[in-house]
Amino acid sequence: MTQIAYVNGAYAPLAHAAVSIQDRGFQFGDAVYEVWGVRGGRLLDRDAHIVRLKRSLSELRIALPMPETALMAVVRETQRRNRVRNGLIYLQISRGQAPRDHAFPAANVRPTLVVTAKNLDMAALEARLSAGVKIVTVPDIRWARCDIKTTSLLPNVLAKQTAREAGAYEAWFVDKDGFVTEGSSSNAWILDADAHLRTRALTNDILHGITRAAVLRVARERGLKVMESAFTVAEAQAAREAFMTAASAPLVPIVWIDDKIVGDGRPGPLACSLRAAYLGASISD
Ligand code: PDD
């Protein structure tokens, strides 16, 4: 099936969909994005992603290119045209197209809107869930506004490549004090030796993950001992369980961190049950 992309008002086959080489997303990474997970044809955490998108845009002073309801209609239509039942929707808004100059272009330059959607290989996802994945750790070399979901992702790209070359699924960034910040495209979690479920607190050092927030909610509803506090690599390696969360892969268990096995080397029971609870709670209408 030909994949279809939405670009600035028109739907086109992915192979022909294009933006200008003067687009500021291309030239400067001057753009923000969102990713929704889709399960059974329905969006996960639909509204929360829109709230974060609007915040990212306002932090960078990029205008929403159309009203929110129209934007969601484009998201839905892109999903429909690509027949996505279990997969992802990607939305990107750049500051628009203008002759290259670092400073913002004139106020009448329209932001560029791109939406794509694809089905995921669910068998591969299931295999990852039942075996668990390996991650590696890398120094966090990113900027001071990791809370903004911008397409400027070079350190994340390099970190993920380091992971791939090490035969790992994800890389966790580690700050200068030895604490894990987050993954290259996910948030980081452990169930520590004292049975506290831990993930780093929200600051500008990490992306405020939508899946993270939803998993925290279901964990608290279940009465788990939850701590939003940073942990070291050694604490993660000694943890009972470790896992990662992202819209692209909600709650994947981690069984190796660098050269150490986590727990008994199998996906932890808490990660598996939280995953089921998360999916149940986060499907939108
Ligand atoms: N990444 N941290 C980073 C750096 C991320 O890029 C992501 C998501 C997350 C998890 O956020 P959420 O739960 O809202 O997806 C945390 C997306 C999926 C991506 O870049 O493809």
Side-chain angles (χ1 to χ4, degrees):
M1 201 190 98
T2 310
Q3 271 183 275
I4 304 293
Y6 172 93
V7 184
N8 285 338
Y11 295 91
L14 201 63
H16 303 295
V19 297
S20 161
I21 61 164
Q22 297 211 103
D23 193 89
R24 292 181 61 93
F26 176 66
Q27 295 197 317
F28 297 113
D30 189 1
V32 304
Y33 74 107
E34 274 300 331
V35 178
W36 283 267
V38 181
R39 289 293 183 281
R42 288 149 84 186
L43 268 57
L44 294 172
D45 301 313
R46 181 195 54 212
D47 299 342
H49 284 279
I50 284 288
V51 170
R52 185 174 63 188
L53 174 69
K54 289 198 289 192
R55 177 178 182 274
S56 297
L57 287 168
S58 98
E59 290 298 307
L60 298 180
R61 293 192 279 151
I62 299 175
L64 197 63
M66 59 177 72
E68 196 178 312
T69 44
L71 197 70
M72 283 320 290
V74 170
V75 165
R76 281 287 185 208
E77 181 60 14
T78 309
Q79 180 197 356
R80 193 190 68 75
R81 290 187 186 223
N82 289 286
R83 297 192 202 141
V84 175
R85 287 202 54 76
N86 294 298
L88 295 178
I89 297 175
Y90 177 84
L91 178 152
Q92 178 175 324
I93 299 171
S94 83
R95 200 181 301 278
Q97 170 194 341
R100 187 173 184 278
D101 177 6
H102 288 65
F104 294 177
N108 63 354
V109 169
R110 274 206 352 259
T112 300
L113 172 61
V114 171
V115 184
T116 57
K118 65 175 183 189
N119 279 298
L120 285 180
D121 179 349
M122 294 308 275
L125 184 70
E126 288 305 324
R128 268 199 303 277
L129 293 176
S130 52
V133 299
K134 174 179 169 163
I135 63 127
V136 294
T137 58
V138 297
D140 197 339
I141 57 167
R142 298 175 301 161
W143 71 327
R145 291 305 306 272
C146 296
D147 57 311
I148 302 174
K149 198 162 172 68
T150 154
T151 62
S152 303
L153 288 170
L154 205 40
N156 310 57
V157 165
L158 296 175
K160 190 77 92 185
Q161 184 60 21
T162 299
R164 289 292 145 80
E165 288 172 8
Y169 180 66
E170 175 63 301
W172 276 3
F173 288 121
V174 180
D175 70 17
K176 59 180 179 7
D177 300 317
F179 290 94
V180 174
T181 49
E182 63 181 332
S184 72
S185 62
S186 58
N187 288 114
W189 299 72
I190 60 168
L191 178 65
D192 74 11
D194 301 322
H196 287 108
L197 183 62
R198 284 166 66 185
T199 190
R200 195 176 172 108
L202 294 182
T203 63
N204 292 355
D205 295 339
I206 63 168
L207 185 74
H208 300 189
I210 302 301
T211 322
R212 174 192 177 283
V215 169
L216 273 178
R217 257 194 320 274
V218 294
R220 288 192 170 117
E221 276 161 23
R222 291 174 153 218
L224 296 172
K225 291 184 281 181
V226 177
M227 282 167 61
E228 291 182 71
S229 71
F231 49 82
T232 62
V233 175
E235 281 180 298
Q237 288 170 326
R240 298 178 186 196
E241 297 189 24
F243 61 90
M244 48 184 268
T245 55
S248 49
L251 229 150
V252 176
I254 292 165
V255 293
W256 281 92
I257 298 176
D258 291 331
D259 54 352
K260 298 266 180 357
I261 289 180
V262 179
D264 64 2
R266 284 178 303 193
L270 181 68
C272 298
S273 73
L274 277 179
R275 181 168 198 281
Y278 162 75
L279 287 174
S282 286
I283 301 258
S284 310
D285 317 327

